[in-house]
Amino acid sequence: MADELRFDGRVVLVTGAGGGLGREYALAFASKGASVVVNDLGGDAKGGGKNSAAADKVVEEIRSQGGRAVADYHSVEDGEKVVQTALDAFGRIDILINNAGILRDRSFGRISDLDWDLVHRVHLRGAFKVTRAAWPHMRKQKYGKIIMTSSTSGVLGNFGQANYSAAKLGLVGLSNTLSIEGSKYNIHCNSIVPLASSRLTQGIIPPDVMDVVKPEYVAPYVVYLCHESCPETGGVFQLAGGWAAELRWHQAAGVVLFGKGGQVPTPEMVRDNWDKVTDWSGPAKEFSNSGNFMAELLGKLQEAK
Ligand code: NAD
């Protein structure tokens, strides 16, 4: 296949690759010629315990199919050590899939400091630590592809997941900024919002839907997003069961309010114009770039004065 997407010579680090979505990414990249670091702490779904078996099993699977892979058992909280495994085994790092995750669901009134901290440490701080360790290598080689794993719970909220949703939307913010800072070094960063059957979604996704949203349907999208031919950066992509769509922010019509002589508006003026703040009757305006937003805002303010 002449136009096959190949990753020969590329080194991919997948965190949390001992099962679920991460395992599928690791297998998919390896089948396309990449050398893969299979990171997994091997704990339970709530972040307790550790075990080398999960990562070892995936490495074994890749090797038995003729692929190249090594295991790494560090927590993503030890980002430097995780990335060092890639450097020691393969001498570089080209692609980083921040995927490791746990859940400690509690309704907000019952959430403990530990529930909040553990989830943030694995998802947001873990992705920060691994990505910061990989960043200088990507900068130096002027090449890098990074994926942050968000969630619909982050984008939309979800009952019982205050800790998780805050961390997951945090990852989108991190991804957006890295896509801006990485652009001059040819480092691309995108977020994904997946849905897939795994131990994290057992009991949440109805049993008859589990087969429809197998994680292997998500992997090809992640593989393409990380190929050198893919220009995307700063995007957020919803992926589930073969379905994929980009997600974006939009802005309502809005209004500029000034009191007499350009003074600060009163709260009553705000109340009386609230329907304009929330006016979605016109075409939705895209809201995707803080530079553009600033320029547009200044234009609107000048026009209104
Ligand atoms: P999973 O439990 O099968 O995979 C997560 C993996 O991360 C596990 O193998 C686990 O051992 C590993 N891990 C946990 N803490 C770690 C740490 N500190 N260091 C290294 N590895 C660690 O679950 P999954 O559904 O495949 O989830 C993968 C990612 O996708 C997670 O970030 C999850 O939040 C996200 N996600 C999943 C879904 C879904 O529908 N499955 C939806 C939205 C987001």
Side-chain angles (χ1 to χ4, degrees):
M1 225 193 302
D3 63 349
E4 186 191 347
L5 299 176
R6 295 290 306 175
F7 291 79
D8 306 288
R10 295 288 182 207
V11 176
V12 184
L13 165 55
V14 184
T15 71
L21 285 159
R23 171 179 168 272
E24 292 302 330
Y25 304 150
L27 293 172
F29 278 113
S31 76
K32 294 284 185 188
S35 301
V36 181
V37 178
V38 177
N39 158 266
D40 207 295
L41 181 65
D44 64 34
K46 289 186 166 188
K50 53 178 168 175
N51 193 329
S52 57
D56 283 344
K57 204 161 161 249
V58 176
V59 168
E60 214 32 64
E61 249 182 299
I62 290 172
R63 288 185 182 162
S64 71
Q65 290 164 18
R68 280 158 60 89
V70 294
D72 174 84
Y73 318 116
H74 295 106
S75 169
V76 285
E77 293 169 77
D78 292 321
E80 293 285 346
K81 292 181 184 161
V82 178
V83 169
Q84 196 57 49
T85 300
L87 301 175
D88 290 346
F90 303 120
R92 57 188 289 133
I93 176 164
D94 300 290
I95 296 165
L96 167 59
I97 314 296
N98 287 296
N99 167 80
I102 58 168
L103 283 181
R104 294 180 70 92
D105 291 1
R106 292 264 189 286
S107 58
F108 189 60
R110 297 174 56 223
I111 201 164
S112 69
D113 282 9
L114 189 66
D115 295 327
W116 181 271
D117 291 344
L118 278 183
V119 162
H120 274 253
R121 270 166 40 194
V122 175
H123 289 275
L124 188 52
R125 188 172 163 79
F128 156 66
K129 294 279 277 186
V130 181
T131 307
R132 191 180 59 177
W135 193 256
H137 303 282
M138 291 180 168
R139 262 181 66 156
K140 204 164 154 209
Q141 71 202 13
K142 290 216 163 24
Y143 187 81
K145 300 278 187 180
I146 301 169
I147 297 287
M148 299 292 177
T149 306
S150 185
S151 164
T152 47
S153 304
V155 177
L156 300 171
N158 194 22
F159 190 94
Q161 294 197 315
N163 50 358
Y164 181 75
S165 54
K168 285 306 205 189
L169 198 55
L171 284 163
V172 175
L174 176 60
S175 174
N176 290 343
T177 292
L178 295 191
S179 75
I180 293 166
E181 292 194 13
S183 65
K184 71 175 175 190
Y185 304 106
N186 194 27
I187 302 174
H188 292 179
C189 188
N190 290 289
S191 301
I192 59 164
V193 174
L195 177 74
S197 44
S198 76
R199 68 177 189 178
L200 289 190
T201 47
Q202 239 163 13
I204 301 172
I205 297 179
D208 52 326
V209 184
M210 287 295 262
D211 258 8
V212 180
V213 292
K214 283 188 185 149
E216 51 260 50
Y217 289 107
V218 171
Y221 289 99
V222 170
V223 168
Y224 171 63
L225 278 171
C226 294
H227 192 260
E228 60 192 31
S229 64
C230 177
E232 289 291 351
T233 189
V236 184
F237 301 94
Q238 189 179 26
L239 313 172
W243 153 265
E246 186 172 13
L247 303 179
R248 285 184 178 170
W249 287 84
H250 286 95
Q251 191 185 54
V255 66
V256 180
L257 297 176
F258 287 119
K260 269 193 189 133
Q263 296 300 302
V264 173
T266 63
E268 292 75 17
M269 287 173 69
V270 173
R271 176 197 60 202
D272 296 343
N273 286 280
W274 194 249
D275 57 338
K276 299 190 184 97
V277 173
T278 57
D279 178 4
W280 291 101
S281 61
K285 278 175 290 167
E286 200 183 319
F287 177 67
S288 61
N289 176 314
S290 47
N292 289 350
F293 170 67
M294 204 73 79
E296 275 174 29
L297 175 68
L298 291 175
K300 279 181 198 147
L301 295 180
Q302 264 156 11
E303 211 175 285
K305 273 204 170 164

